[in-house]
Amino acid sequence: MPGNKYSSSNLPGTPRTRLERLLRERELKRFSRDFNEGEGELSSAQDSFSPESSTSWLNNEESLQPLSGARTSHDGGARQDFQASKQRLLVVANRLPVSAVKHGDSWQLEMSAGGLVSALLGVTEFDTRWIGWAGINVPDESGQKTLTEALAAKNCIPVFIEEEIAHQYYNGYCNNTLWPLFHYLGLPQEDHLATTRNFKSQFEAYTKANQCFADVVSKHYEEGDAVWCHDYHLMFLPKYLKERNSDMKVGWFLHTPFPSSEIHRMLPSRSELLKSVLSADLVGFHTYDYARHFVSACTRILGLEGTPEGVEDQGKLTRVAVFPVGIDPDRFIQALELPQVKDIVKELKQRFAGYKVLLGVDRLDMIKGIPQKILAFEKFLEENPDWRHKVVLLQIAVPTRTHVLKYKQLTSQVHEIVGRINGRFGSFSSVPIHHLDCTLDFHTLCAIYAITDVALVTSLRDGMNLVSYEFVACQAANKGVLILSEFAGAAQSLGAGAILVNPWNVAEVASSIGYALNMSADEREKRHHHNFLHVTTHTSQGWAETFVSELNETIVEAQLRSRQIPPPLPIEAAVDRYACSNNRLLILGFDATLTEPLDALWRKGNQIKELKHKIRSDLREPLRKLCDDPKTTVLVLSGSNRNALDNNFGDFNLWLAAENGIFLRATMGEWMMTMPENTSMDWVDSVEHVFEYFTQRTPRSHFELRETSLIWDYRYSDAEFGRLQARDLLMHLWTGPISNLSLDVVQGSQSIEVRSVGVTKGAAIDRILGEIVHNKGMKEPIDYVLCMGHFLAKDEDIYSYFELMLPSETPTSSSSQVPTPFGTPTAGSSAAPLKKQHSLSPGKKSSFIGDSMLDPMMGADRMSLLEGSSLINLQAENYFSCSVARKRSKSRYLLRSSDEVLELLRGMANHC
Ligand SMILES: O=P(O)(O)OC[C@H]1O[C@H](O[C@H]2O[C@H](CO)[C@@H](O)[C@H](O)[C@H]2O)[C@H](O)[C@@H](O)[C@@H]1O
Ligand SMILES: O=c1ccn([C@@H]2O[C@H](COP(=O)(O)OP(=O)(O)O)[C@@H](O)[C@H]2O)c(=O)[nH]1
């Protein structure tokens, strides 16, 4: 990106691979950090947001430290320099690290709870601005101004959302629809009478809220910034941002699980959300499973191509990668050394003397499996009477999303179970469960983690779960045991040191509690050591650095890739050159060039087969005009069979070349063959057998037996499955029927074609032109060529054919494997001797070009006629080779879709 000083491509001696570049960037960062630490100018505590306190907003007391990157007046010069070298990062999340809360008549800024805030507090490496929803309704302008100013001191920028929209966006679409769905809890029943339970109105509010975020981001964005969007609240944000500025560097990270595509497809707006997320440059998840689910949702629901790198849509890659979050362990480890924390530890130890302490810390959310945890504890007490009155469960249930009905119901349910169990197993002097509906301050939380013997994390699903990390960080002395749900993302990192459980299996959790309480000191030590090492080496700081480095890198790679993509066809210039030429040749592909766009076919479901090979109706008129222009020759050159071309173009005055140019006819005349030497179909039975086998096993795939080739087409099948089947099919072909035959296997993006060696459009064009020139009795040289199609790589030799006709100073696009004009070096091409073949299907009348029996005037002589008569006089500026919707191409130009083809042909037709 121009002006982006963080593009590693700007560095001298640029490393060539992504890994090299990322390692180098890391090293530079480490160097810069070490340097500054050595100077003693910057301590991370100074530079980061301090969450341990809250402040009154109206009083504007500055007891909170600013977020990283805030410039304060007492900054020294070195600090300024270091700050200046930091990359600007806009963190955009629904929640700001502080929430404005009303206390009586005044407002206070309080620390927000939840893992996302905790994770991002550790991010100090960047010059960060945090953009998020203010969390409260502030309708008046002066109120908004005051809050904005108060937040600015923390480098926070509020997004104000009107109350009803915020309600439907946050309580409705986010937390009543996306949240339960992404955690495998299904969708709520839609209720048309209640707007809050109506997908449509909630969805509209969601899009509006995302627009509000986009407005604020755009306002604060500076060129070169990295914009990091967070979580399911902001799935539309990447799209809105890119629409405003396509150069913006946009990453999106999901903190929750991304469910299996079978779950995601239940969502009414499933496609829009996926497409929007794909507008980002980089998409990140906590675990490989979530990333895998996302890619397969894109392939199955959107029909796009999933690659090991991410998701590809017409050559545009959205990178998808895994970035497991961590915590800032030092914050916890250092807190335990504070006298006030030590006091709380002492007090708690006295309070629970003689008891083993089990701990749960969760937002009071149905995904956290709090009822299941408590029921498992009940079962444990039931089965282990010896442990009664020797063990307590402390359950900290942080209130959350209290306006959502399901959360209210959960609160009552949990209270009821706790009451019942305490009644059952409690005594005058003790109760087994201490359940607190509250938010703890940071120091108390650390102290509780430190005195705990067994932490119980029983989430039914959880993106990561940072409580498990925090517990481990605070257990250096105690070496307590972690019981961890296998459905939390953390199970993939802390699984080896924890006791993994299925939270739905209450009996298993109960017995795990027993196992943990009785575990030997030696085993506890080993398990703790393993997890402690992980928690202290996989920090939130590293997480953010890796994500932003990858984002920078993704942009560099996209630039490199886009350099290989042909530039867009300058339609106006192509039309102008056409207008002032005298003898023009238009070579047009058919499928995906002149046919309906795939999207339209896709939607029409079962009618696909009928519609598949039809020319777009809106193209008929301009095409007819072009065909009827005496100064223009139109040739449709396609892989399709003769029938398909006859049916579509029989009433146009043009030339048709079917089966990649093997058959040729003017629509006024008979079909003839250009390359009879390439039409042997001896191999067809054995290949057909394999194609049949795979067609039966791949729903919505089909194969087509053409006169000179066989094609298996899986473009309407599930993309992922289709690709797997295609790989398998190729293996079968190579090891079986074609292993000893001289055949070409041509892979399309969603097809596999088997044809005789040497049959390509480039090989056929020479003879086709010979025939056309002769047939039309052309006297004037061709001075304009448009050669345009969605051609397979193998058939792109046609572009090179014309390149070689240009005056010699014109650079050619490729020098290897190109046919020479009027005779290619390829085996079986026009240079080979012509001979009659008898493998054509009966019923079609064909002549061979060069077959003296059928047409004594045609043949090899005609080729030399053309060669010798310089009937092509093409200047570079009059040659337009153009790929349609295939970005990896040797063509000079690119048109993105058949819509643009329409625009071009209409423009030309205006000059007929
Ligand atoms: O902001 P709230 O609606 O009150 O909810 C709090 C946060 O909950 C979710 O946290 C997730 O992020 C954690 C860090 O990556 C992860 O460990 C945890 O498993 C997730 O549930 C939510 O995704 C955040 O957006 C909320 O802020
Ligand atoms: O009273 C509390 C208890 C916990 N937490 C924090 O809330 C976060 C919970 O994150 P987790 O990833 O476990 O789950 P989430 O709530 O984000 O789904 C942790 O960082 C806790 O330290 C908090 O802010 N206040």
Side-chain angles (χ1 to χ4, degrees), residues 465-504:
N465 190 282
L466 293 183
V467 163
S468 51
Y469 276 59
E470 294 167 3
F471 166 72
V472 170
C474 292
Q475 281 286 320
N478 206 32
K479 308 205 170 32
V481 183
L482 172 65
I483 295 179
L484 178 59
S485 164
E486 63 187 64
F487 297 115
Q492 303 202 7
S493 41
L494 304 182
I499 300 177
L500 286 186
V501 291
N502 171 2
W504 295 98

Side-chain angles (χ1 to χ4, degrees), residues 278-281 311-318 561 565 887:
L278 287 176
S279 318
D281 301 293
V311 179
E312 230 181 284
D313 184 4
Q314 299 205 18
K316 187 216 171 245
L317 175 78
T318 305
R561 237 193 328 272
I565 298 175
K887 293 192 176 169

Side-chain angles (χ1 to χ4, degrees), residues 350-364:
Q350 279 167 3
R351 170 76 186 78
F352 295 113
Y355 288 87
K356 289 283 180 188
V357 177
L358 307 187
L359 176 69
V361 178
D362 311 272
R363 279 180 307 101
L364 191 44

Side-chain angles (χ1 to χ4, degrees), residues 659-721:
E659 310 229 357
N660 297 310
I662 286 197
F663 297 104
L664 177 70
R665 87 176 260 217
T667 45
M668 316 300 183
E670 291 291 319
W671 282 105
M672 32 194 166
M673 289 188 82
T674 59
M675 294 194 282
E677 67 278 12
N678 293 94
T679 54
S680 163
M681 293 289 272
D682 302 344
W683 47 272
V684 84
D685 287 344
S686 51
V687 173
E688 189 173 5
H689 188 64
V690 176
F691 278 19
E692 229 164 41
Y693 177 91
F694 279 90
T695 302
Q696 277 165 8
R697 282 157 185 78
T698 314
R700 291 166 73 88
S701 74
H702 63 275
F703 74 91
E704 198 185 326
L705 173 60
R706 295 178 179 168
E707 290 173 78
T708 59
S709 66
L710 198 58
I711 293 189
W712 183 63
D713 185 330
Y714 60 95
R715 79 179 97 171
Y716 305 116
S717 308
D718 175 280
E720 210 175 305
F721 183 58

Side-chain angles (χ1 to χ4, degrees), residues 29 86 190-191 395 400 515 590 598 686 733 757 786 859 898:
K29 280 222 170 93
K86 283 182 169 187
E190 165 140 336
D191 181 350
Q395 177 61 50
T400 183
Y515 185 78
F590 174 43
L598 186 65
S686 51
L733 282 184
V757 166
L786 167 73
S898 64

Side-chain angles (χ1 to χ4, degrees), residues 612-626:
K612 181 172 86 150
H613 279 125
K614 270 202 182 137
I615 179 176
R616 288 174 64 134
S617 48
D618 43 9
L619 261 173
R620 296 182 73 85
E621 194 204 324
L623 185 62
R624 192 175 301 286
K625 278 191 182 167
L626 292 166

